[in-house]
Amino acid sequence: MDAARLEALIGFLALADRLKHVERRGRTVAPDGAPRQENSAEHCWNVALLAVLLHGEVADPPELGHVLAMIAAHDLVEIEAGDTFAYDEAHVLSQAARERAAADLVFGALPPDLGARLRALWEEFEQGETKAARFAMACDRAQGFLQGVIGTGHWRAMGVTEGATNGRMDPARRVAPVFEALIAALYDRARQGRMFAEPRE
Amino acid sequence: MDAARLEALIGFLALADRLKHVERRGRTVAPDGAPRQENSAEHCWNVALLAVLLHGEVADPPELGHVLAMIAAHDLVEIEAGDTFAYDEAHVLSQAARERAAADLVFGALPPDLGARLRALWEEFEQGETKAARFAMACDRAQGFLQGVIGTGHWRAMGVTEGATNGRMDPARRVAPVFEALIAALYDRARQGRMFAEPRE
């Protein structure tokens, strides 16, 4: 690897470090019981771990290396665009445009071939059409929901009803029976813990 | 997936959440310039990202899915054993025994087949003998060193000299020329920034 390529790689890695400072709405809980907001880098690791655990549970699984590479890259645009809370409708409407501009900056920091590789992974994830992208999406959404259960309270605090979560979780449920079962078990816990906001009359 | 298997999986995931609270000595830097200690979950994501970027740069690369699964699993024992600072000799001496006991607890929380899968990945990483384990180790060490450069100051504060780091980085350098080149570029930055502690006379 020549010097210019190394410089670009190191510059990108210094930029990527900032994903550790992008806060999500879901929370993680310290061993002493104190919750704090999860960040997007932690989330990406956790989604990868879930993918490793569930990969053997689906019929006709996608290629694991491709899935895990996609998961490692899928939130990098948040370094520039920030995390978009899935239940903030106005923010979701502007998300695609913000993230596309961010992608030019973030992936553009890499040597062109490496930038194109990560950008293609991100676009495949966003389009959600391939088997690998659908599996990665299901892991991403299941992990987000899991974090809502573990971190208890952010749905209620944000006014998110159970009904509002279904539109986001239904596509994940449809990917494979294991996702349907896992998500059903998580909903049971969320209901038992009264974690959702009450619907307005 | 039956109910007992789901319960064990969710219990394990709640335990795995704690990796986000295991602090490493290296630091990450917020966009406003404030450094804080990196945690092991963030580190695992960052090592995976580096593996994706460098995988195409080595001759005869290992299978990427296997490497990335190993990286996702390689620090889970720290949930129970804590992170061991590589330059704390006494702590390093007790590391293997602490981590083996932790592995029984952490991997034992999973359904047996999934626990065995993650434990095998962790053991392969620790033994460092396969092509995949050597590549993962080199990414792990290069990322740790990179974080020292990005987060500037922890080596000096901990009394770690340049010479002390070589014993840890030499095995990574030997994995492939790209690691040698990347690590050399990072040493240049560390020297220019006077980031290492001075050797005692």
Side-chain angles (χ1 to χ4, degrees):
Chain A
M1 191 179 272
D2 66 28
R5 191 167 171 81
L6 273 175
E7 283 301 299
L9 177 66
I10 293 170
F12 169 78
L13 290 166
L15 180 64
D17 185 55
R18 287 173 49 192
L19 195 63
K20 301 163 193 168
H21 303 270
V22 174
E23 286 193 343
R24 294 169 53 86
R25 296 301 173 96
R27 302 193 297 184
T28 173
V29 181
D32 69 1
R36 64 162 170 81
Q37 281 172 266
E38 190 189 36
N39 70 55
S40 292
E42 297 166 332
H43 158 73
C44 288
W45 162 73
N46 207 340
V47 176
L49 183 66
L50 188 58
V52 171
L53 289 167
L54 297 186
H55 185 253
E57 307 281 333
V58 302
D60 191 23
E63 201 271 301
L64 184 60
H66 188 58
V67 167
L68 294 177
M70 194 183 296
I71 289 169
H74 85 287
D75 271 346
L76 283 167
V77 298
E78 294 183 359
I79 290 166
E80 290 291 332
D83 181 55
T84 301
F85 186 47
Y87 306 106
D88 176 344
E89 288 179 21
H91 210 209
V92 167
L93 282 175
S94 69
Q95 182 175 9
R98 282 184 290 111
E99 293 196 344
R100 199 154 292 277
D104 293 342
L105 276 165
V106 173
F107 300 128
L110 277 166
D113 59 316
L114 292 175
R117 167 145 165 68
L118 289 201
R119 184 168 189 136
L121 288 167
W122 170 69
E123 286 181 345
E124 183 181 347
F125 180 85
E126 286 296 307
Q127 288 161 10
E129 287 166 12
T130 64
K131 186 166 68 173
R134 285 171 49 77
F135 181 82
M137 173 274 289
C139 291
D140 180 55
R141 296 198 182 177
Q143 191 276 342
F145 197 90
L146 169 78
Q147 222 57 40
V149 171
I150 288 175
T152 67
H154 88 284
W155 288 310
R156 184 171 283 278
M158 304 295 297
V160 177
T161 62
E162 175 174 343
T165 64
N166 282 319
R168 187 153 175 84
M169 301 312 294
D170 285 346
R173 289 180 174 109
R174 284 195 293 268
V175 168
V178 69
F179 290 107
E180 193 166 10
L182 172 60
I183 291 166
L186 292 171
Y187 267 89
D188 284 346
R189 290 180 180 229
R191 285 187 204 110
Q192 283 162 21
R194 302 179 58 84
M195 296 179 192
F196 295 116
E198 303 297 331
R200 290 186 193 155
E201 296 299 311
Chain B
M1 191 179 273
D2 66 29
R5 191 167 171 81
L6 273 176
E7 283 301 299
L9 177 67
I10 293 171
F12 169 79
L13 290 167
L15 180 63
D17 185 55
R18 288 174 46 192
L19 195 64
K20 302 164 192 168
H21 303 269
V22 175
E23 286 195 344
R24 294 168 54 85
R25 295 301 173 94
R27 303 194 295 184
T28 174
V29 181
D32 69 1
R36 66 161 169 80
Q37 280 172 266
E38 189 189 37
N39 69 56
S40 292
E42 298 167 331
H43 159 74
C44 287
W45 162 72
N46 208 337
V47 175
L49 183 66
L50 188 58
V52 171
L53 290 167
L54 297 185
H55 185 251
E57 307 281 333
V58 302
D60 192 22
E63 203 270 301
L64 184 60
H66 189 58
V67 167
L68 294 177
M70 194 183 298
I71 289 170
H74 86 287
D75 272 345
L76 283 167
V77 297
E78 294 184 358
I79 289 166
E80 289 291 332
D83 181 55
T84 301
F85 187 46
Y87 306 106
D88 176 343
E89 288 178 21
H91 210 209
V92 167
L93 281 175
S94 69
Q95 182 174 8
R98 283 184 289 111
E99 292 195 344
R100 199 153 295 276
D104 293 341
L105 277 165
V106 173
F107 301 127
L110 277 166
D113 60 317
L114 292 176
R117 167 145 166 67
L118 290 200
R119 185 168 190 136
L121 288 167
W122 170 69
E123 287 181 343
E124 182 181 346
F125 179 85
E126 286 296 307
Q127 287 161 11
E129 287 166 13
T130 64
K131 187 166 68 173
R134 287 171 49 77
F135 182 82
M137 173 275 290
C139 291
D140 180 55
R141 297 199 181 176
Q143 192 276 341
F145 197 90
L146 169 79
Q147 223 58 40
V149 171
I150 289 174
T152 67
H154 88 284
W155 287 310
R156 185 172 282 278
M158 304 295 297
V160 177
T161 61
E162 175 174 343
T165 64
N166 282 319
R168 188 153 174 85
M169 301 313 293
D170 284 346
R173 289 180 174 110
R174 286 194 291 268
V175 169
V178 69
F179 290 107
E180 193 167 11
L182 172 60
I183 292 166
L186 293 171
Y187 268 89
D188 284 347
R189 291 180 179 228
R191 287 188 203 108
Q192 283 163 22
R194 302 180 56 83
M195 295 179 193
F196 296 116
E198 304 296 331
R200 289 185 193 158
E201 294 300 312

